[in-house]
Amino acid sequence: MDLEEFSRKLSDILSAAESEVRSAESSSLADLRAKFLGRKGEMTKMMKHLASLPQDMRPQAGKLANETKKKIESLFSGVVAPQKKSYEKFDPTLPGRKPIVGGIHPLEWTLRRIVDIFYGMGFSVASGPEMETEYYNFDALNTPEDHPARDIQDTFYLERKGWLLRTQTSPVQIRVMESQKPPVKIIAPGRCYRRDAIDSTHYYTFTQVEGLYVDRDVTLADLKGVLTAFAKQFIGENVRVRFRPHFFPFTEPSVEYDFSCPVCDGKGCRVCKGTGWLEISGAGMVDPEVFKAAGYDPDEVQGYAFGMGVERIAMVKFGIDDIRLLYENDLAFLEQF
Ligand code: PHE
């Protein structure tokens, strides 16, 4: 092949490329590109022919070949570019995309509301560790070794001897009284753990809000007053509170307290299982033994304590019938709040 033939071949390829690209469907452009510019394409063949040309012609032939290759490349970019632009057209009349916004978890909502109400009644917020010692969780709370609450079945004991996951927020009572002089007026919200069999009303972890008020001349009537005020703010003006006798090692006397069912207003319905009342939790007057353990003089002070179950309150508030829903992070459930 001489230079003349080489350059004729190049212009044949170029004009073939021009007419084929012009009439091509956009879907076949990739094939055409391979045909002319690909590794086994026309231009690659021409580059190989270069070697068979006489030495002195090669620079000029090489230059011609490169120019042709550039022209063919520009044919393709010319065709593809305007199409790409039409994809990128911005249509300002389309509706906007809604950003995903998170919400507050119903349990957290309930907890914050409870804390808020007691804060408004002059309680400050205290806290204690979830990994506790047997001393704070049981001994100091007048719970002797052989009390059923200490049974291995109820408590998660930790490997380290004398340690456990707290079964209640009551140990915070002791920690607070150890660290400050009376009067004391605190609530202590937090996580607790028990080895309960899991079902629609029991879970291995749950949330309590502990309350403790210690001063001179504190009576059971004060306890009833503060819990009634709480119930009115949380549920509404018409709610009633009732106490039933009970036993806790760390209070004497002890009560369990109920709120009248807000769903049926005490008439009896599915939520309150026909009783008209909802069990909220335990309470009572601080046992003198507890004051002694914490270093307070039981002849000088009295106090009341209460501990309420937050899940129970959240379930009533939001009409949730299975406690597990509060812990399983199912988005279909959570997105309703
Ligand atoms: N700690 C008790 C419980 O978990 C509740 C309670 C708290 C009772 C304070 C009396 C006083 O059941």
Side-chain angles (χ1 to χ4, degrees), residues 141 167-171 173 192 194 206 208-211 246-251 254-257 281-286 304-308:
L141 289 165
T167 60
Q168 51 192 358
T169 43
S170 301
Q173 290 184 31
C192 307
R194 278 182 208 179
F206 55 96
Q208 283 188 337
V209 174
E210 192 80 10
H246 200 69
F247 174 81
F248 294 105
F250 34 89
T251 45
S254 300
V255 297
E256 277 202 314
Y257 56 93
S281 210
M285 300 306 291
V286 179
Y304 64 69
F306 59 84
M308 55 178 77

Side-chain angles (χ1 to χ4, degrees), residues 91-97:
D91 181 354
T93 65
L94 286 174
R97 247 174 246 157

Side-chain angles (χ1 to χ4, degrees), residues 273-323:
K273 298 195 181 84
T275 63
W277 296 94
L278 296 167
E279 276 177 36
I280 299 299
S281 210
M285 300 306 291
V286 179
D287 193 292
E289 292 302 316
V290 173
F291 281 140
K292 281 189 215 158
Y296 281 12
D297 181 352
D299 292 329
E300 291 286 314
V301 291
Q302 301 86 44
Y304 64 69
F306 59 84
M308 55 178 77
V310 181
E311 281 77 6
R312 188 69 214 271
I313 299 175
M315 287 165 77
V316 170
K317 172 82 191 168
F318 292 104
I320 298 164
D321 60 6
D322 193 323
I323 191 172

Side-chain angles (χ1 to χ4, degrees), residues 127-133 163-164 166 168 171-172 175 191:
S127 67
E130 291 173 25
M131 281 192 285
E132 258 297 4
T133 60
W163 287 74
L164 44 74
R166 69 177 176 195
Q168 51 192 358
V172 184
R175 290 180 175 276
R191 275 271 187 122

Side-chain angles (χ1 to χ4, degrees), residues 12-25:
D12 286 349
I13 294 173
L14 179 58
S15 47
E18 277 170 350
S19 71
E20 287 184 43
V21 169
R22 206 178 307 123
S23 60
E25 300 280 316

Side-chain angles (χ1 to χ4, degrees), residues 49-80:
H49 278 312
L50 270 180
S52 66
L53 292 176
Q55 187 86 44
D56 58 338
M57 295 178 182
R58 281 183 212 164
Q60 216 194 328
K63 200 174 157 224
L64 270 178
N66 276 331
E67 282 168 7
T68 307
K69 196 176 171 195
K70 280 217 180 90
K71 281 180 191 158
I72 296 177
E73 275 167 357
S74 73
L75 287 178
F76 284 100
S77 62
V79 173
V80 177

